Structures are given as C-alpha cells and as structure tokens.
Amino acid sequence: YMDHTKINEFIEYCEKELDLYNRLIVNKEKDPNDSFYKSLPMCIIDAVFSIGVKYKHVEKAERAFIKYFNLKISKKYPIVNEYTIDDFLKNMNTFSTMEEAAKKGFQNRQKTSTNNGILKAEACKLVAEVFKKHGINTLKDFNEYSDKKTLDDDIRQVKGQSSGIMLKYLYMLAGKTDEIKPDRHMIGFVKRFFKEIQSDKQYDEIINIIKITVEKLKPKYPMLTERYLDVLIWSYMSSEKVYVLTFKTTLPNVCNTSQDTVTRHEVFEYFENAKDALKGKIQHYTINNLIFDQNRHIRILDAHAKVVETREKELYDDCRLTSEKIYDIQNLLCSAFEDKSVIINDAALSDDKVTIDISKDELKICVNHDLFILHTNIFNIIVKKNYFLHIKQRFENGEGNGEAELYIDLNQVQVQPKRILEEET
C-alpha cells in the first residue's frame, strides 16, 4: 500500500481532514499528551481504562481515584512529589476486593473485555505489579529501563492486554513521541482511505502508513510526531459529527431577480437523512428552473448539439465533441438528477469551445469558457462522503440578465456542543 501516489494522496487527506495547517501553524496547538499527569500509575490507569470506551469515562475514573485518595499529581516538569508505583499499590491494597476498588476508588466497573474480561481496576493493579517486579517505580525508571522486551512480554500476560494496544498507549502517555496505537479510531481512519486494508488486525501496515506520513509531513510541520498525529486522528474520529446540507442559488425563478442570493443550511445527525435531503434538493433545483428545458436537458448543451448537427461535413468531422457525445452527457446528468446511480468511465474530451473533464467520479463542463460550468460528484450518492453540485450559467435572450448560480453541498463536519438541531438561515 506504500506506492508514492497513494501516500501523497493520504497526506493531502490528513492535512484536509485534520486541519493540520490551522491547528499546528496558525494556532500553534501543542500535543495534549505533553500536559498529561507526570505519574506512571496515572499513565497505567488512563491506558487501561481507555480501551474500547469514550474518553469521558476514563477522565471520570481518574478524577474519582484522585479525589478518593486526596492526591495532588503534577502535570508539568519538573515533577514534585511524584505519585509512584509503590504509592499506587499501597492505595490499591486498602481495598478488600477489586470489586470494591472498582466501585469506590474508580467509580467504574468496566471490564477489559465483555467476554471473560477482568475489571479494569484489577488490570491496573496487575500491570503495576509487573512494574514493581522489574524494579520500576517512577516515570524515569520506566523510560530508562533497558530490558523493555521482557517487560512488554510480562505486561501482555495480564488478562486483556495481549494485543499490545494498551501498552503502546502507555508508552505514549509516559513520553514516547514516536509511538502509535492502532486502536479502533486509528484503524477506522486509515481504512477509510486505504481500502486495501481489509482486517482490523493489520497493525503493522497501519503503523507503517502513519510513520511514513509523519516522515513526509515533518518538513512542513516540524512539531508533528507519530504520537501527535495519533491524538489528532483520535480526536477527529471520536468527536461528534453532523452532515450539513447547504443550498445557495441566484436562479431567476427562485429569487426575485438574478442578482439576489438565497442560502439555506440544513443539519442532519445521520447520513441517510442527509442523503435523502440532498437528493430531494438536486431533483427540485436542477429540474425546476431555467437551466433546464421541458425535457430536462441543459439548455446550453442542447443548443450546442444543434449547432454541431448543422455544421458542414468537413467541420463536423473535425469536431471531437459530437452530438452523440453531448446527448450521452445529457442522459448521464438526467440520470443523476433523477436519483439513479451512474458510472463514469470516459476520458476527457475538448474542442475550441467546449471542455468536458471526466476524472474519478467528477464531471466538469465548460461551454464557451464561461457560459456554462458544471462541477459535481453526485453520480453515486451511496458512501458517506462530501458531495457537491455547482452550476453556473449566463442567461440571455429574454430569459434573464447576468449569471445564475446553483450550489448544493453536503459536508460532514465536527460540531460542539453535542446537541444537534436542524436549522435554516
């Protein structure tokens, strides 16, 4: 999956989806891992409780534990009175059972697995005991420990930790910046782009993709590390998203004059609802306006087809855009506008007056440079993605003055707060 073109496309995908330029260059945001608790037991708690749940539950468990034992734990260097493995095990041994530790200490009874898993509270204690066995008490001890392989193998023996995902996250929290954890969010993000990755267990391939991406982005974003890209992807995938359908037009029969603009936004929590609304907008605003005639053909293309039909034979033979091709395009557009999935499998065609650019799942048409422009990827509205239909046409011959434009966009965006409301402005 590491071919040059694919990686470059993934880099562009990351930059756009994660808004890297604004976040890292403009706003100079820092890796939030840098401000995590400077305490090895807190790294264990966060790493163990994070697997498979929303992070708010992890934060709640951490706050409950800190409050229960009235702890003061630094989040900055230099570390003052570090909360150590010895301190943690001493606190955990005050509970008569792990059930009591989960209920009172963490206020969280989650297990490492729904299938024969143990309480996460117990897993934290068992991991801490592994550190104790290796003579590791502080963050410095952990980061400077020489026999990491034996340590890692022992931690993987704790029930529910065999995959090593928790362990990778533990290293990240403890300060390792070149580490990546292939959790469900990372896997989901990479699989969106690399369709070749079929299994969620292809950890090595996923990690390799992220490492190469960071290496290639480093010259532009010096502050970016594997750990930082990991947290940016995690934040993006875990935040709540909605689909925003935007309709903007200066179509003469929609507005009072061709110079007026009408803009509307509709917000949907689920893609299926947004998709249905998008299809409705496309059908209504592309068929019921002056861009189309009663046969639902785009007027400019229809007129151009008639010109081609009446050309002298020698000119007709030299014309790369034949009337047959124009009507093929008409049928393609009509199918899309009538909510029928279509497939584009043609190369770009052009002549002196008409340019038709067909690439991937997009179609662009420009007639006489600026009389008519269409840009769209609506031909197969199935997968969750951003869709757009942009049409611009100059109206003349008594049909109106000036240009008319139609924009219909469906974009998935991250939102705060969580409450989703439909709105129209």
Side-chain angles (χ1 to χ4, degrees), residues 349-391:
L349 296 173
S350 67
D351 68 1
D352 291 339
K353 293 185 177 181
V354 179
T355 300
I356 299 170
D357 184 9
I358 301 174
S359 59
K360 295 184 179 178
D361 61 348
E362 298 181 8
L363 175 77
K364 301 177 185 179
I365 303 174
C366 180
V367 179
N368 293 334
H369 303 296
D370 64 351
L371 287 182
F372 175 84
I373 297 175
L374 181 144
H375 186 195
T376 184
N377 70 342
I378 64 171
F379 297 102
N380 198 330
I381 309 174
I382 297 176
V383 298
K384 294 182 179 181
K385 61 183 290 186
N386 297 338
Y387 293 95
F388 53 88
L389 171 63
H390 296 170
I391 299 176

mmCIF file of all heavy atoms in Angstrom, residues 349-391:
data_model
loop_
_atom_site.group_PDB
_atom_site.id
_atom_site.type_symbol
_atom_site.label_atom_id
_atom_site.label_comp_id
_atom_site.label_asym_id
_atom_site.label_seq_id
_atom_site.Cartn_x
_atom_site.Cartn_y
_atom_site.Cartn_z
ATOM 1 N N LEU A 349 -12.630 15.084 -23.040
ATOM 2 C CA LEU A 349 -12.788 15.486 -24.432
ATOM 3 C C LEU A 349 -12.806 16.999 -24.494
ATOM 4 O O LEU A 349 -13.288 17.667 -23.588
ATOM 5 C CB LEU A 349 -14.100 14.934 -25.009
ATOM 6 C CG LEU A 349 -14.219 13.408 -25.091
ATOM 7 C CD1 LEU A 349 -15.612 13.040 -25.521
ATOM 8 C CD2 LEU A 349 -13.193 12.847 -26.049
ATOM 9 N N SER A 350 -12.327 17.561 -25.579
ATOM 10 C CA SER A 350 -12.355 19.017 -25.688
ATOM 11 C C SER A 350 -12.301 19.447 -27.140
ATOM 12 O O SER A 350 -11.839 18.713 -28.014
ATOM 13 C CB SER A 350 -11.184 19.635 -24.927
ATOM 14 O OG SER A 350 -9.973 19.280 -25.559
ATOM 15 N N ASP A 351 -12.820 20.635 -27.392
ATOM 16 C CA ASP A 351 -12.590 21.301 -28.664
ATOM 17 C C ASP A 351 -12.414 22.785 -28.354
ATOM 18 O O ASP A 351 -12.188 23.161 -27.212
ATOM 19 C CB ASP A 351 -13.714 21.027 -29.677
ATOM 20 C CG ASP A 351 -15.031 21.672 -29.269
ATOM 21 O OD1 ASP A 351 -15.073 22.348 -28.223
ATOM 22 O OD2 ASP A 351 -16.017 21.489 -29.997
ATOM 23 N N ASP A 352 -12.530 23.631 -29.341
ATOM 24 C CA ASP A 352 -12.238 25.045 -29.115
ATOM 25 C C ASP A 352 -13.229 25.709 -28.180
ATOM 26 O O ASP A 352 -12.891 26.655 -27.484
ATOM 27 C CB ASP A 352 -12.234 25.797 -30.459
ATOM 28 C CG ASP A 352 -11.046 25.394 -31.307
ATOM 29 O OD1 ASP A 352 -10.069 24.888 -30.728
ATOM 30 O OD2 ASP A 352 -11.110 25.582 -32.525
ATOM 31 N N LYS A 353 -14.461 25.229 -28.162
ATOM 32 C CA LYS A 353 -15.497 25.935 -27.405
ATOM 33 C C LYS A 353 -16.002 25.171 -26.190
ATOM 34 O O LYS A 353 -16.555 25.765 -25.283
ATOM 35 C CB LYS A 353 -16.684 26.258 -28.330
ATOM 36 C CG LYS A 353 -16.343 27.271 -29.411
ATOM 37 C CD LYS A 353 -17.580 27.639 -30.195
ATOM 38 C CE LYS A 353 -17.255 28.723 -31.227
ATOM 39 N NZ LYS A 353 -18.457 29.124 -31.988
ATOM 40 N N VAL A 354 -15.855 23.862 -26.216
ATOM 41 C CA VAL A 354 -16.432 23.055 -25.138
ATOM 42 C C VAL A 354 -15.339 22.206 -24.502
ATOM 43 O O VAL A 354 -14.555 21.569 -25.186
ATOM 44 C CB VAL A 354 -17.551 22.136 -25.669
ATOM 45 C CG1 VAL A 354 -18.108 21.287 -24.528
ATOM 46 C CG2 VAL A 354 -18.639 22.958 -26.320
ATOM 47 N N THR A 355 -15.300 22.227 -23.189
ATOM 48 C CA THR A 355 -14.370 21.377 -22.449
ATOM 49 C C THR A 355 -15.166 20.469 -21.524
ATOM 50 O O THR A 355 -16.006 20.944 -20.757
ATOM 51 C CB THR A 355 -13.393 22.215 -21.601
ATOM 52 O OG1 THR A 355 -12.650 23.058 -22.468
ATOM 53 C CG2 THR A 355 -12.427 21.316 -20.846
ATOM 54 N N ILE A 356 -14.905 19.194 -21.627
ATOM 55 C CA ILE A 356 -15.558 18.217 -20.750
ATOM 56 C C ILE A 356 -14.458 17.436 -20.056
ATOM 57 O O ILE A 356 -13.650 16.787 -20.695
ATOM 58 C CB ILE A 356 -16.456 17.252 -21.536
ATOM 59 C CG1 ILE A 356 -17.554 18.044 -22.247
ATOM 60 C CG2 ILE A 356 -17.075 16.217 -20.604
ATOM 61 C CD1 ILE A 356 -18.315 17.225 -23.223
ATOM 62 N N ASP A 357 -14.404 17.538 -18.752
ATOM 63 C CA ASP A 357 -13.352 16.902 -17.978
ATOM 64 C C ASP A 357 -13.980 15.840 -17.084
ATOM 65 O O ASP A 357 -14.743 16.151 -16.170
ATOM 66 C CB ASP A 357 -12.632 17.963 -17.139
ATOM 67 C CG ASP A 357 -11.460 17.374 -16.372
ATOM 68 O OD1 ASP A 357 -11.124 16.201 -16.624
ATOM 69 O OD2 ASP A 357 -10.896 18.075 -15.530
ATOM 70 N N ILE A 358 -13.693 14.593 -17.369
ATOM 71 C CA ILE A 358 -14.231 13.490 -16.588
ATOM 72 C C ILE A 358 -13.066 12.778 -15.917
ATOM 73 O O ILE A 358 -12.200 12.233 -16.579
ATOM 74 C CB ILE A 358 -15.000 12.491 -17.475
ATOM 75 C CG1 ILE A 358 -16.158 13.196 -18.192
ATOM 76 C CG2 ILE A 358 -15.529 11.334 -16.652
ATOM 77 C CD1 ILE A 358 -16.873 12.338 -19.178
ATOM 78 N N SER A 359 -13.027 12.820 -14.595
ATOM 79 C CA SER A 359 -11.967 12.148 -13.870
ATOM 80 C C SER A 359 -12.506 11.628 -12.548
ATOM 81 O O SER A 359 -13.313 12.283 -11.896
ATOM 82 C CB SER A 359 -10.799 13.101 -13.614
ATOM 83 O OG SER A 359 -11.237 14.215 -12.870
ATOM 84 N N LYS A 360 -12.059 10.451 -12.168
ATOM 85 C CA LYS A 360 -12.548 9.781 -10.962
ATOM 86 C C LYS A 360 -14.073 9.736 -11.022
ATOM 87 O O LYS A 360 -14.652 9.169 -11.916
ATOM 88 C CB LYS A 360 -12.030 10.489 -9.712
ATOM 89 C CG LYS A 360 -10.511 10.404 -9.585
ATOM 90 C CD LYS A 360 -10.028 11.037 -8.298
ATOM 91 C CE LYS A 360 -8.518 10.926 -8.188
ATOM 92 N NZ LYS A 360 -8.000 11.579 -6.976
ATOM 93 N N ASP A 361 -14.745 10.355 -10.041
ATOM 94 C CA ASP A 361 -16.212 10.355 -10.078
ATOM 95 C C ASP A 361 -16.728 11.778 -10.240
ATOM 96 O O ASP A 361 -17.816 12.120 -9.790
ATOM 97 C CB ASP A 361 -16.791 9.718 -8.809
ATOM 98 C CG ASP A 361 -16.387 10.482 -7.549
ATOM 99 O OD1 ASP A 361 -15.493 11.334 -7.653
ATOM 100 O OD2 ASP A 361 -16.970 10.212 -6.501
ATOM 101 N N GLU A 362 -15.931 12.633 -10.898
ATOM 102 C CA GLU A 362 -16.342 14.020 -11.090
ATOM 103 C C GLU A 362 -16.542 14.332 -12.555
ATOM 104 O O GLU A 362 -15.949 13.716 -13.429
ATOM 105 C CB GLU A 362 -15.288 14.968 -10.509
ATOM 106 C CG GLU A 362 -15.084 14.807 -9.030
ATOM 107 C CD GLU A 362 -14.063 15.784 -8.490
ATOM 108 O OE1 GLU A 362 -13.638 16.686 -9.244
ATOM 109 O OE2 GLU A 362 -13.693 15.637 -7.331
ATOM 110 N N LEU A 363 -17.408 15.298 -12.825
ATOM 111 C CA LEU A 363 -17.661 15.752 -14.190
ATOM 112 C C LEU A 363 -17.635 17.273 -14.202
ATOM 113 O O LEU A 363 -18.312 17.916 -13.417
ATOM 114 C CB LEU A 363 -19.033 15.267 -14.679
ATOM 115 C CG LEU A 363 -19.445 15.788 -16.056
ATOM 116 C CD1 LEU A 363 -18.712 15.046 -17.151
ATOM 117 C CD2 LEU A 363 -20.940 15.657 -16.246
ATOM 118 N N LYS A 364 -16.839 17.844 -15.087
ATOM 119 C CA LYS A 364 -16.796 19.295 -15.258
ATOM 120 C C LYS A 364 -17.123 19.613 -16.711
ATOM 121 O O LYS A 364 -16.569 18.994 -17.609
ATOM 122 C CB LYS A 364 -15.411 19.849 -14.917
ATOM 123 C CG LYS A 364 -14.929 19.565 -13.516
ATOM 124 C CD LYS A 364 -13.522 20.086 -13.323
ATOM 125 C CE LYS A 364 -12.977 19.690 -11.961
ATOM 126 N NZ LYS A 364 -11.590 20.162 -11.770
ATOM 127 N N ILE A 365 -17.993 20.580 -16.932
ATOM 128 C CA ILE A 365 -18.344 21.005 -18.286
ATOM 129 C C ILE A 365 -18.221 22.523 -18.364
ATOM 130 O O ILE A 365 -18.756 23.233 -17.524
ATOM 131 C CB ILE A 365 -19.785 20.602 -18.666
ATOM 132 C CG1 ILE A 365 -19.975 19.093 -18.521
ATOM 133 C CG2 ILE A 365 -20.114 21.051 -20.090
ATOM 134 C CD1 ILE A 365 -21.387 18.636 -18.733
ATOM 135 N N CYS A 366 -17.530 23.019 -19.359
ATOM 136 C CA CYS A 366 -17.426 24.456 -19.591
ATOM 137 C C CYS A 366 -17.682 24.708 -21.074
ATOM 138 O O CYS A 366 -17.010 24.139 -21.928
ATOM 139 C CB CYS A 366 -16.049 24.968 -19.200
ATOM 140 S SG CYS A 366 -15.856 26.749 -19.478
ATOM 141 N N VAL A 367 -18.671 25.538 -21.378
ATOM 142 C CA VAL A 367 -19.019 25.858 -22.756
ATOM 143 C C VAL A 367 -18.713 27.332 -23.008
ATOM 144 O O VAL A 367 -19.124 28.200 -22.238
ATOM 145 C CB VAL A 367 -20.506 25.573 -23.035
ATOM 146 C CG1 VAL A 367 -20.849 25.926 -24.473
ATOM 147 C CG2 VAL A 367 -20.819 24.112 -22.761
ATOM 148 N N ASN A 368 -17.987 27.612 -24.108
ATOM 149 C CA ASN A 368 -17.618 28.988 -24.445
ATOM 150 C C ASN A 368 -16.957 29.695 -23.258
ATOM 151 O O ASN A 368 -17.223 30.846 -22.968
ATOM 152 C CB ASN A 368 -18.844 29.776 -24.911
ATOM 153 C CG ASN A 368 -19.372 29.244 -26.227
ATOM 154 O OD1 ASN A 368 -18.619 28.666 -27.019
ATOM 155 N ND2 ASN A 368 -20.650 29.409 -26.445
ATOM 156 N N HIS A 369 -16.134 28.958 -22.565
ATOM 157 C CA HIS A 369 -15.323 29.469 -21.454
ATOM 158 C C HIS A 369 -16.136 29.795 -20.202
ATOM 159 O O HIS A 369 -15.787 29.378 -19.119
ATOM 160 C CB HIS A 369 -14.514 30.696 -21.884
ATOM 161 C CG HIS A 369 -13.629 30.424 -23.056
ATOM 162 N ND1 HIS A 369 -12.581 29.533 -22.997
ATOM 163 C CD2 HIS A 369 -13.645 30.906 -24.316
ATOM 164 C CE1 HIS A 369 -11.978 29.484 -24.163
ATOM 165 N NE2 HIS A 369 -12.606 30.301 -24.986
ATOM 166 N N ASP A 370 -17.212 30.566 -20.307
ATOM 167 C CA ASP A 370 -17.896 30.970 -19.082
ATOM 168 C C ASP A 370 -19.414 30.935 -19.193
ATOM 169 O O ASP A 370 -20.107 31.368 -18.293
ATOM 170 C CB ASP A 370 -17.460 32.369 -18.660
ATOM 171 C CG ASP A 370 -17.846 33.429 -19.672
ATOM 172 O OD1 ASP A 370 -18.294 33.060 -20.768
ATOM 173 O OD2 ASP A 370 -17.699 34.609 -19.354
ATOM 174 N N LEU A 371 -19.941 30.453 -20.321
ATOM 175 C CA LEU A 371 -21.393 30.439 -20.451
ATOM 176 C C LEU A 371 -22.040 29.399 -19.544
ATOM 177 O O LEU A 371 -23.096 29.607 -18.993
ATOM 178 C CB LEU A 371 -21.791 30.183 -21.901
ATOM 179 C CG LEU A 371 -21.574 31.356 -22.861
ATOM 180 C CD1 LEU A 371 -22.051 30.978 -24.247
ATOM 181 C CD2 LEU A 371 -22.308 32.595 -22.376
ATOM 182 N N PHE A 372 -21.381 28.266 -19.421
ATOM 183 C CA PHE A 372 -21.967 27.208 -18.600
ATOM 184 C C PHE A 372 -20.842 26.422 -17.943
ATOM 185 O O PHE A 372 -19.914 25.986 -18.606
ATOM 186 C CB PHE A 372 -22.817 26.268 -19.442
ATOM 187 C CG PHE A 372 -23.352 25.102 -18.665
ATOM 188 C CD1 PHE A 372 -24.518 25.227 -17.931
ATOM 189 C CD2 PHE A 372 -22.678 23.893 -18.641
ATOM 190 C CE1 PHE A 372 -24.992 24.150 -17.191
ATOM 191 C CE2 PHE A 372 -23.154 22.829 -17.904
ATOM 192 C CZ PHE A 372 -24.312 22.959 -17.186
ATOM 193 N N ILE A 373 -20.910 26.265 -16.648
ATOM 194 C CA ILE A 373 -19.924 25.464 -15.930
ATOM 195 C C ILE A 373 -20.665 24.529 -14.980
ATOM 196 O O ILE A 373 -21.537 24.956 -14.227
ATOM 197 C CB ILE A 373 -18.951 26.347 -15.121
ATOM 198 C CG1 ILE A 373 -18.145 27.245 -16.070
ATOM 199 C CG2 ILE A 373 -18.007 25.479 -14.292
ATOM 200 C CD1 ILE A 373 -17.250 28.227 -15.346
ATOM 201 N N LEU A 374 -20.319 23.258 -15.031
ATOM 202 C CA LEU A 374 -20.883 22.287 -14.101
ATOM 203 C C LEU A 374 -19.736 21.515 -13.462
ATOM 204 O O LEU A 374 -18.819 21.084 -14.155
ATOM 205 C CB LEU A 374 -21.828 21.326 -14.816
ATOM 206 C CG LEU A 374 -22.505 20.279 -13.913
ATOM 207 C CD1 LEU A 374 -23.916 20.001 -14.376
ATOM 208 C CD2 LEU A 374 -21.701 18.973 -13.892
ATOM 209 N N HIS A 375 -19.798 21.363 -12.168
ATOM 210 C CA HIS A 375 -18.788 20.613 -11.422
ATOM 211 C C HIS A 375 -19.531 19.802 -10.362
ATOM 212 O O HIS A 375 -20.223 20.360 -9.523
ATOM 213 C CB HIS A 375 -17.794 21.576 -10.775
ATOM 214 C CG HIS A 375 -16.644 20.889 -10.115
ATOM 215 N ND1 HIS A 375 -15.799 21.518 -9.230
ATOM 216 C CD2 HIS A 375 -16.196 19.612 -10.209
ATOM 217 C CE1 HIS A 375 -14.887 20.662 -8.813
ATOM 218 N NE2 HIS A 375 -15.103 19.507 -9.384
ATOM 219 N N THR A 376 -19.394 18.479 -10.414
ATOM 220 C CA THR A 376 -20.197 17.657 -9.497
ATOM 221 C C THR A 376 -19.559 16.292 -9.263
ATOM 222 O O THR A 376 -18.780 15.802 -10.076
ATOM 223 C CB THR A 376 -21.618 17.454 -10.042
ATOM 224 O OG1 THR A 376 -22.386 16.738 -9.079
ATOM 225 C CG2 THR A 376 -21.611 16.671 -11.347
ATOM 226 N N ASN A 377 -19.904 15.672 -8.138
ATOM 227 C CA ASN A 377 -19.541 14.269 -7.884
ATOM 228 C C ASN A 377 -20.754 13.503 -7.357
ATOM 229 O O ASN A 377 -20.624 12.573 -6.565
ATOM 230 C CB ASN A 377 -18.378 14.178 -6.882
ATOM 231 C CG ASN A 377 -18.794 14.584 -5.482
ATOM 232 O OD1 ASN A 377 -19.823 15.237 -5.297
ATOM 233 N ND2 ASN A 377 -18.009 14.222 -4.478
ATOM 234 N N ILE A 378 -21.931 13.897 -7.800
ATOM 235 C CA ILE A 378 -23.177 13.341 -7.248
ATOM 236 C C ILE A 378 -23.622 12.054 -7.923
ATOM 237 O O ILE A 378 -24.719 11.559 -7.655
ATOM 238 C CB ILE A 378 -24.342 14.361 -7.374
ATOM 239 C CG1 ILE A 378 -24.640 14.632 -8.861
ATOM 240 C CG2 ILE A 378 -24.035 15.624 -6.608
ATOM 241 C CD1 ILE A 378 -25.883 15.441 -9.108
ATOM 242 N N PHE A 379 -22.798 11.492 -8.804
ATOM 243 C CA PHE A 379 -23.273 10.401 -9.631
ATOM 244 C C PHE A 379 -23.553 9.108 -8.879
ATOM 245 O O PHE A 379 -24.236 8.240 -9.390
ATOM 246 C CB PHE A 379 -22.277 10.142 -10.767
ATOM 247 C CG PHE A 379 -22.164 11.318 -11.680
ATOM 248 C CD1 PHE A 379 -21.091 12.179 -11.599
ATOM 249 C CD2 PHE A 379 -23.162 11.592 -12.593
ATOM 250 C CE1 PHE A 379 -21.008 13.285 -12.426
ATOM 251 C CE2 PHE A 379 -23.084 12.692 -13.416
ATOM 252 C CZ PHE A 379 -22.012 13.540 -13.334
ATOM 253 N N ASN A 380 -23.011 8.977 -7.693
ATOM 254 C CA ASN A 380 -23.296 7.766 -6.931
ATOM 255 C C ASN A 380 -23.349 8.122 -5.449
ATOM 256 O O ASN A 380 -22.362 8.027 -4.739
ATOM 257 C CB ASN A 380 -22.215 6.713 -7.179
ATOM 258 C CG ASN A 380 -22.680 5.324 -6.779
ATOM 259 O OD1 ASN A 380 -23.491 5.174 -5.875
ATOM 260 N ND2 ASN A 380 -22.164 4.326 -7.443
ATOM 261 N N ILE A 381 -24.503 8.549 -4.990
ATOM 262 C CA ILE A 381 -24.640 9.025 -3.611
ATOM 263 C C ILE A 381 -24.946 7.835 -2.705
ATOM 264 O O ILE A 381 -26.095 7.570 -2.358
ATOM 265 C CB ILE A 381 -25.746 10.092 -3.504
ATOM 266 C CG1 ILE A 381 -25.521 11.181 -4.553
ATOM 267 C CG2 ILE A 381 -25.763 10.719 -2.115
ATOM 268 C CD1 ILE A 381 -26.630 12.199 -4.627
ATOM 269 N N ILE A 382 -23.900 7.105 -2.343
ATOM 270 C CA ILE A 382 -24.084 5.916 -1.517
ATOM 271 C C ILE A 382 -23.206 5.984 -0.272
ATOM 272 O O ILE A 382 -23.684 5.922 0.853
ATOM 273 C CB ILE A 382 -23.763 4.635 -2.321
ATOM 274 C CG1 ILE A 382 -24.735 4.491 -3.500
ATOM 275 C CG2 ILE A 382 -23.843 3.403 -1.413
ATOM 276 C CD1 ILE A 382 -24.431 3.315 -4.389
ATOM 277 N N VAL A 383 -21.898 6.128 -0.478
ATOM 278 C CA VAL A 383 -20.973 6.100 0.654
ATOM 279 C C VAL A 383 -21.014 7.423 1.408
ATOM 280 O O VAL A 383 -21.425 8.454 0.867
ATOM 281 C CB VAL A 383 -19.532 5.821 0.168
ATOM 282 C CG1 VAL A 383 -19.463 4.465 -0.494
ATOM 283 C CG2 VAL A 383 -19.065 6.900 -0.781
ATOM 284 N N LYS A 384 -20.559 7.401 2.651
ATOM 285 C CA LYS A 384 -20.520 8.610 3.467
ATOM 286 C C LYS A 384 -19.341 9.468 3.011
ATOM 287 O O LYS A 384 -18.190 9.124 3.225
ATOM 288 C CB LYS A 384 -20.365 8.250 4.945
ATOM 289 C CG LYS A 384 -21.559 7.507 5.520
ATOM 290 C CD LYS A 384 -21.357 7.220 6.989
ATOM 291 C CE LYS A 384 -22.558 6.490 7.568
ATOM 292 N NZ LYS A 384 -22.400 6.205 9.008
ATOM 293 N N LYS A 385 -19.653 10.570 2.359
ATOM 294 C CA LYS A 385 -18.604 11.467 1.890
ATOM 295 C C LYS A 385 -19.220 12.834 1.643
ATOM 296 O O LYS A 385 -20.412 13.036 1.855
ATOM 297 C CB LYS A 385 -17.957 10.918 0.614
ATOM 298 C CG LYS A 385 -18.934 10.768 -0.557
ATOM 299 C CD LYS A 385 -18.269 10.156 -1.778
ATOM 300 C CE LYS A 385 -17.283 11.098 -2.425
ATOM 301 N NZ LYS A 385 -16.750 10.547 -3.691
ATOM 302 N N ASN A 386 -18.395 13.761 1.196
ATOM 303 C CA ASN A 386 -18.891 15.086 0.842
ATOM 304 C C ASN A 386 -19.320 15.085 -0.618
ATOM 305 O O ASN A 386 -18.606 14.590 -1.472
ATOM 306 C CB ASN A 386 -17.802 16.140 1.059
ATOM 307 C CG ASN A 386 -17.389 16.261 2.514
ATOM 308 O OD1 ASN A 386 -18.143 15.892 3.407
ATOM 309 N ND2 ASN A 386 -16.205 16.759 2.748
ATOM 310 N N TYR A 387 -20.474 15.687 -0.891
ATOM 311 C CA TYR A 387 -20.984 15.753 -2.255
ATOM 312 C C TYR A 387 -21.218 17.206 -2.636
ATOM 313 O O TYR A 387 -21.514 18.045 -1.790
ATOM 314 C CB TYR A 387 -22.290 14.960 -2.382
ATOM 315 C CG TYR A 387 -22.104 13.479 -2.216
ATOM 316 C CD1 TYR A 387 -22.304 12.864 -0.989
ATOM 317 C CD2 TYR A 387 -21.703 12.692 -3.287
ATOM 318 C CE1 TYR A 387 -22.107 11.504 -0.831
ATOM 319 C CE2 TYR A 387 -21.510 11.330 -3.139
ATOM 320 C CZ TYR A 387 -21.706 10.741 -1.911
ATOM 321 O OH TYR A 387 -21.505 9.389 -1.760
ATOM 322 N N PHE A 388 -21.103 17.488 -3.916
ATOM 323 C CA PHE A 388 -21.293 18.858 -4.354
ATOM 324 C C PHE A 388 -21.830 18.892 -5.777
ATOM 325 O O PHE A 388 -21.538 18.038 -6.608
ATOM 326 C CB PHE A 388 -19.973 19.638 -4.289
ATOM 327 C CG PHE A 388 -18.835 18.962 -5.012
ATOM 328 C CD1 PHE A 388 -18.607 19.180 -6.359
ATOM 329 C CD2 PHE A 388 -18.001 18.095 -4.321
ATOM 330 C CE1 PHE A 388 -17.564 18.542 -7.007
ATOM 331 C CE2 PHE A 388 -16.965 17.458 -4.973
ATOM 332 C CZ PHE A 388 -16.739 17.683 -6.325
ATOM 333 N N LEU A 389 -22.647 19.886 -6.050
ATOM 334 C CA LEU A 389 -23.140 20.181 -7.393
ATOM 335 C C LEU A 389 -23.056 21.683 -7.559
ATOM 336 O O LEU A 389 -23.742 22.425 -6.865
ATOM 337 C CB LEU A 389 -24.582 19.706 -7.572
ATOM 338 C CG LEU A 389 -25.269 20.156 -8.860
ATOM 339 C CD1 LEU A 389 -24.572 19.592 -10.085
ATOM 340 C CD2 LEU A 389 -26.733 19.767 -8.859
ATOM 341 N N HIS A 390 -22.205 22.157 -8.465
ATOM 342 C CA HIS A 390 -22.046 23.587 -8.733
ATOM 343 C C HIS A 390 -22.379 23.831 -10.200
ATOM 344 O O HIS A 390 -21.777 23.237 -11.083
ATOM 345 C CB HIS A 390 -20.624 24.051 -8.449
ATOM 346 C CG HIS A 390 -20.221 23.927 -7.021
ATOM 347 N ND1 HIS A 390 -18.925 24.109 -6.591
ATOM 348 C CD2 HIS A 390 -20.948 23.639 -5.911
ATOM 349 C CE1 HIS A 390 -18.870 23.930 -5.278
ATOM 350 N NE2 HIS A 390 -20.079 23.641 -4.850
ATOM 351 N N ILE A 391 -23.332 24.692 -10.455
ATOM 352 C CA ILE A 391 -23.723 25.045 -11.826
ATOM 353 C C ILE A 391 -23.723 26.557 -11.957
ATOM 354 O O ILE A 391 -24.265 27.259 -11.103
ATOM 355 C CB ILE A 391 -25.122 24.495 -12.174
ATOM 356 C CG1 ILE A 391 -25.136 22.966 -12.084
ATOM 357 C CG2 ILE A 391 -25.549 24.949 -13.570
ATOM 358 C CD1 ILE A 391 -26.505 22.352 -12.320
#
